[in-house]
């Protein structure tokens, strides 16, 4: 594993209206590393990823990819940068006007200008990797279950074999066995493609399986960042409460008790 | 005082909206001239906008043309000027009613569909997904709709004009007792080349308005199903208003002098 920072966030800030979501995020991901980000629902994990992808513009801070600032770069540079990213959206975000295989092949046809036949072959191969047979490829996304859509989204994210892949809750909505298959697949992506990945998950078994490092987002900041094996004795009571899923602890949920 | 402040706020908000729309249209036009071009998508949109709008536009035109001939007949009869029916029908249809009614019908059908489709794509993050798959959403989504609308509206309007005049012809010859050859002769005599040009210019303009309003409201929608519903309504209403307004401006400038 080469030791240079692939992605580096410095003082990243983002809010919506008067609400501050990210309040100075500092985070480094090394090349070829698999980072898992955990944090409560609504803590800004998806927003952070969207900032890196340039889908949201941060109010302050820098995002460096291979040492190059991408927040303040030209549109042309940003576009070339996007070609190196793959993304699985939390809600899958499949194109419902296209068939399943066309969804998976989309980046290959549009980004890499492959012919349709060749792209289809690769797409079906990727679909097989996520446990979907070839005939599913001919369906439209609306005909799939939520978990199947998620897997198609995953196949689409890895189809072009990008250097950097973001997985936003890849195993949510899957049965435990399929979740484990997907975890294996993510591990393979990192190992075989040498990809750098950031995975958002609430699933602690995913964390243990795929993470090299883990980070926890709370109140707009990274409150803990370290190797996976240290997560169980991080000494951080917020992390402890989160990974054990306890209602009692320093993190208070704003729910009304009768 | 409070009242003035409210007016001021509304006015400023409206100006900001206009600025946003203009910027949106400008961005679309800049993407129009730079590759890649998605001809397949343009073709599909042309079918969708043009071909599938033919029935509704044709029906509107024939009924309007027929009713128009009847009314002009009733009005001109008082001055013993029944001979002008064919001429007034063709001018009214080609200059005004063909493009305006055609534009409004297509706006109702197409602006709403564009806003709903792009709006759903926005709120389900499909537009974000396009960007991450190295595809520019302006090029992939907006440009094909714009090109298709600007190219097909003139064709639709020509069809609407012909069918509208034919509606007047039917009433004129079958009910009001005009001579067929005579009616056609007067129609041809009254029609000038500039009428047809202005009709086509209006149609292209309306196509532009329909595509930009539908795309703009859909592209910038937010807030789930409710937001998409709002975008759809706004797209249709704003397209209607802009079509009627720009029609007036073109009419006054071409025929008012
Ligand atoms: N487009 C937006 N407009 C306004 N607020 C937004 C927008 N996107 C996200 N937010 C707000 O930002 C906060 C963080 O959202 P985000 O989607 O990043 O949460 P998350 O950590 O991914 O949660 P989850 O685990 O439930 O997916 C939320 O409070 C949300 O209300
Ligand atoms: Mg999220």
């Amino acid at each position: 594993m080469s030791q240079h920072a692939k992605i580096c966030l410095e003082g990243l800030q983002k809010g919506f209206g008067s609400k501050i979501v990210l309040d100075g995020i500092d985070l480094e991901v090394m090349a070829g590393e698999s980072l898992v980000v955990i944090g409560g629902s609504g803590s800004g994990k998806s927003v952070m990823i969207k900032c890196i992808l340039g889908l949201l513009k941060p109010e302050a801070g820098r995002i460096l990819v291979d040492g190059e600032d991408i927040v303040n770069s030209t549109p042309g540079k940003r576009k070339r940068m996007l070609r190196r990213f793959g993304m699985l959206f939390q809600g899958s975000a499949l194109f419902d006007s296209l068939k399943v295989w066309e969804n998976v092949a989309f980046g290959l046809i549009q980004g890499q200008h492959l012919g349709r036949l060749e792209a289809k072959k690769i797409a079906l191969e990727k679909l097989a990797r996520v446990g979907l047979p070839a005939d599913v490829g001919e369906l439209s996304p609306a005909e799939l279950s939520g978990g199947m859509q998620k897997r198609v989204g995953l196949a689409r994210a890895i189809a072009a074999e990008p250097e950097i892949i973001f997985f936003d809750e890849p195993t949510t909505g899957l049965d435990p066995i399929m979740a484990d298959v997907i975890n294996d697949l993510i591990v393979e992506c990192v190992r075989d493609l040498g990809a750098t990945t950031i995975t958002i998950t609430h699933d602690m078994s995913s964390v243990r399986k795929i993470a090299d490092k883990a980070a926890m987002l709370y109140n707009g900041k990274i409150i803990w960042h370290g190797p996976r094996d240290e997560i169980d004795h991080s000494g951080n009571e917020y992390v402890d409460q989160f990974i054990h899923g306890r209602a009692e602890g320093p993190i208070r949920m704003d729910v009304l008790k009768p | 005082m409070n009242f003035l402040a409210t007016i001021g706020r509304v006015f400023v908000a409206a100006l900001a909206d206009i600025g946003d729309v203009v910027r949106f249209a400008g961005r679309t036009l800049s993407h129009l001239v730079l590759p890649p071009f998605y001809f397949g998508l343009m073709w599909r949109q042309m079918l969708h906008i043009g071909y599938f709008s033919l029935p509704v536009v044709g029906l509107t035109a024939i009924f309007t043309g027929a009713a128009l001939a009847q009314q002009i007949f009733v009005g001109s009869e008082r001055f013993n000027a029944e001979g002008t029916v064919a001429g007034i029908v063709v001018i009214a249809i080609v200059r005004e009613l063909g493009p305006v009614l055609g534009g409004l019908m297509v706006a109702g059908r197409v602006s709403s569909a564009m806003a709903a489709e792009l709006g759903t794509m926005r709120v389900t993050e499909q537009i974000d997904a396009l960007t991450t798959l190295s595809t520019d959403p302006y090029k992939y989504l907006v440009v094909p709709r714009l090109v298709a609308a600007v190219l097909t509206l003139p064709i639709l309007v020509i069809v609407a004009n012909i069918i509208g005049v034919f509606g007047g012809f039917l009433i004129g010859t079958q009910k009001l007792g005009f001579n067929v050859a005579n009616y056609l002769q007067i129609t041809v005599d009254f029609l000038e080349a500039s009428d047809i040009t202005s009709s086509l210019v209006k149609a292209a303009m309306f196509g532009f308005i329909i595509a930009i309003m539908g795309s703009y409201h859909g592209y910038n929608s937010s807030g789930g199903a409710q937001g998409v519903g709002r975008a759809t309504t706004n797209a249709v209403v704003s397209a209607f208003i802009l079509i009627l307004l720009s029609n007036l401006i073109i009419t006054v400038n071409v025929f008012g002098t």
Side-chain angles (χ1 to χ4, degrees), chain B residues 19-41:
Chain B
D20 284 348
V21 172
V22 169
R23 206 165 325 123
F24 184 85
R27 257 190 96 168
T28 306
L29 291 178
S30 76
H31 282 288
L32 180 67
V33 291
L34 297 172
F37 306 111
Y38 297 99
F39 294 111
L41 292 176

Side-chain angles (χ1 to χ4, degrees), chain A residues 212-228:
Chain A
D212 295 320
K213 295 250 183 70
M216 175 153 170
L217 188 59
Y218 179 70
N219 252 350
K221 293 201 166 61
I222 299 288
I223 56 163
W224 184 81
H225 182 199
R228 170 193 53 193

Side-chain angles (χ1 to χ4, degrees), chain B residues 54 57-58 61 153-165:
Chain B
L54 275 175
V57 169
L153 252 274
I155 300 173
L156 273 175
V157 164
I158 288 179
V159 174
N161 289 343
I162 294 172
I163 295 180
V165 169

